[in-house]
Amino acid sequence: MQKIALIVGSSGIAGSNLATELLANGWQVHGLARGAQDDAGGLRPVAADLLDPASLQAALASVTPTNVFITAWLRQQSEADNIRVNGAMVRNVLGALALKKSVRHVALVTGLKHYLGPFEAYASTGTSPQTPLREEQPRLPVENFYYAQEDEVFAAAARDGFSWTVHRPHTLIGKAVGNAMNMGTTLAVYASICKETGRPFQWPGSQAQWQGLSDVTDARQLARQLVWAADSEAAHDTAFNIVNGDVFRWQWLWGRLAQWFGVEAAGFDGTMRPLELEMSRHHALWRQMAARHGLLEADLGRLSSAWHTDLDLGRPIEVMTDMGRSRKLGFTGYQSTEASFYDLFAQLRADRLIP
């Protein structure tokens, strides 16, 4: 039977890389997004509003997926609104597909805020989580839209009889424009501004993050695990962490990122220097840089998600992730973190998004 994928959020970091991986493995791939388009060479775009059930019913009328991959979310002003909106998105998509009886498996991508708490209480819920973070750690006693999304998947699975997996990456590294959580591109833009102005590439975060162990998730590594789990019956009805498979300290990696751009690295100096404030001063400069260097995106806000980078780099604890559960079941993917950043920077430069 042909494997037919529906990627919810196909234009984001996770979704676009997943589309590339699925197409390379011979899947038929439909990409659902408000402004869906074929960016992966073979993706079948499906444009719909995830918060409009009628729009979804019409857009998906001729789509009969065997597998649904949910990689989308919408940032709201509060966690209560995050729960309402993002839970509804999952419910609406799975509801629109329920009568087709074609779905055999649903994969949901969430993240480490499952363990660290929502944006409003990020890594400050009163007790520090035990690291490395492991999938068997219980939910926190706080509202969290990831839990709401999971519960929608679990309810639909019980109703419609499909299997599920949940995938929890750490910070995703990969290309996307207009993405709300995009550390790699944010740091590339920041380094480019430092080079343009002759300033050092100053570490913006906390001492704990600068000195502590960390890991990240290349979007290609996440895509490989998603495809593996879809094809592995032993993985079904299970939640998995997913990271590159190596660990690092930012005080080691920071200088290497600076070297790639040819700028001076400056480490933690006792003061946190949030990038959201720093980047807010450079919108006009970026427009000038875009015009001078022939860049394709002059809106700094569509490239940089400094608020989220500040959350990650400003955490008061070190964060690393155990991936033993999927390793034991046969997932052997590995990705060098240094190469994750270098590959992204090279792609951004080739695509004329940074000078």
Side-chain angles (χ1 to χ4, degrees):
M1 182 181 296
Q2 183 178 21
K3 290 179 281 191
I4 303 171
L6 175 66
I7 302 175
V8 182
S10 56
S11 60
I13 293 177
S16 59
N17 281 273
L18 174 59
T20 299
E21 183 72 15
L22 289 169
L23 288 165
N25 281 273
W27 290 59
Q28 182 185 120
V29 184
H30 300 264
L32 176 60
R34 184 187 293 271
Q37 55 187 334
D38 181 7
D39 291 329
L43 179 73
R44 304 181 183 200
V46 181
D49 182 350
L50 299 179
L51 293 174
D52 183 346
S55 169
L56 281 167
Q57 290 281 359
L60 295 173
S62 61
V63 181
T64 55
T66 58
N67 294 71
V68 180
F69 300 90
I70 301 173
T71 69
W73 74 288
L74 289 173
R75 184 189 181 195
Q76 305 299 309
Q77 291 299 311
S78 70
E79 194 61 20
D81 286 336
N82 277 329
I83 290 169
R84 176 179 56 82
V85 169
N86 292 287
M89 286 165 47
V90 175
R91 183 169 61 252
N92 292 343
V93 169
L94 298 181
L97 297 170
L99 294 179
K100 298 177 184 289
K101 305 297 183 183
S102 65
V103 177
R104 301 200 304 266
H105 184 77
V106 171
L108 172 68
V109 177
T110 61
L112 294 197
K113 283 180 290 299
H114 183 93
Y115 311 105
L116 299 173
F119 296 121
E120 295 172 354
Y122 199 32
S124 60
T125 55
T127 58
S128 296
Q130 187 176 38
T131 57
L133 302 171
R134 291 180 169 85
E135 295 94 340
E136 63 268 20
Q137 291 174 219
R139 290 182 175 185
L140 297 171
V142 295
E143 291 188 324
N144 190 322
F145 81 87
Y146 284 169
Y147 305 161
Q149 288 183 308
E150 286 186 346
D151 289 342
E152 294 292 347
V153 171
F154 301 157
R159 178 191 68 207
D160 299 332
F162 56 73
S163 60
W164 56 266
T165 48
V166 175
H167 303 260
R168 299 169 184 158
H170 197 168
T171 302
L172 273 178
I173 305 301
K175 179 196 167 187
V177 176
N179 192 274
M181 297 190 292
N182 196 341
M183 176 193 284
T185 301
T186 299
L187 294 181
V189 168
Y190 174 47
S192 298
I193 289 172
C194 290
K195 185 170 185 178
E196 186 80 9
T197 58
R199 298 163 53 197
F201 187 51
Q202 175 70 56
W203 169 253
S206 68
Q207 181 176 8
Q209 280 294 297
W210 177 249
Q211 295 178 339
L213 288 171
S214 190
D215 50 27
V216 298
T217 307
D218 190 301
R220 298 168 296 185
Q221 172 82 330
L222 170 61
R224 290 189 287 266
Q225 192 194 61
L226 285 162
V227 175
W228 164 79
D231 288 335
S232 303
E233 188 173 342
H236 291 175
D237 301 335
T238 309
F240 296 104
N241 293 332
I242 174 64
V243 286
N244 280 352
D246 60 6
V247 294
F248 65 91
R249 300 183 197 274
W250 280 106
Q251 63 185 4
W252 170 84
L253 183 60
W254 195 249
R256 285 161 170 77
L257 303 188
Q259 186 176 20
W260 197 95
F261 286 93
V263 294
E264 176 190 354
F268 181 72
D269 63 359
T271 302
M272 291 178 59
R273 304 173 185 276
L275 280 178
E276 188 169 22
L277 175 61
E278 177 65 23
M279 300 295 256
S280 69
R281 301 168 175 151
H282 296 305
H283 286 267
L285 172 63
W286 189 260
R287 286 193 294 270
Q288 296 167 8
M289 291 172 62
R292 183 160 54 253
H293 297 288
L295 305 182
L296 297 183
E297 182 55 71
D299 184 351
L300 183 62
R302 281 182 50 76
L303 290 174
S304 168
S305 56
W307 71 276
H308 189 264
T309 300
D310 285 337
L311 281 176
D312 278 3
L313 299 185
R315 288 183 298 218
I317 56 173
E318 67 175 15
V319 175
M320 66 197 118
T321 316
D322 180 78
M323 209 165 57
R325 179 177 284 182
S326 61
R327 296 290 193 222
K328 291 173 185 176
L329 292 176
F331 179 71
T332 59
Y334 170 82
Q335 170 66 47
S336 158
T337 290
E338 214 175 344
S340 291
F341 281 99
Y342 296 166
D343 290 351
L344 171 63
F345 297 160
Q347 183 180 11
L348 294 173
R349 182 166 287 172
D351 292 345
R352 294 166 55 200
L353 291 171
I354 61 173

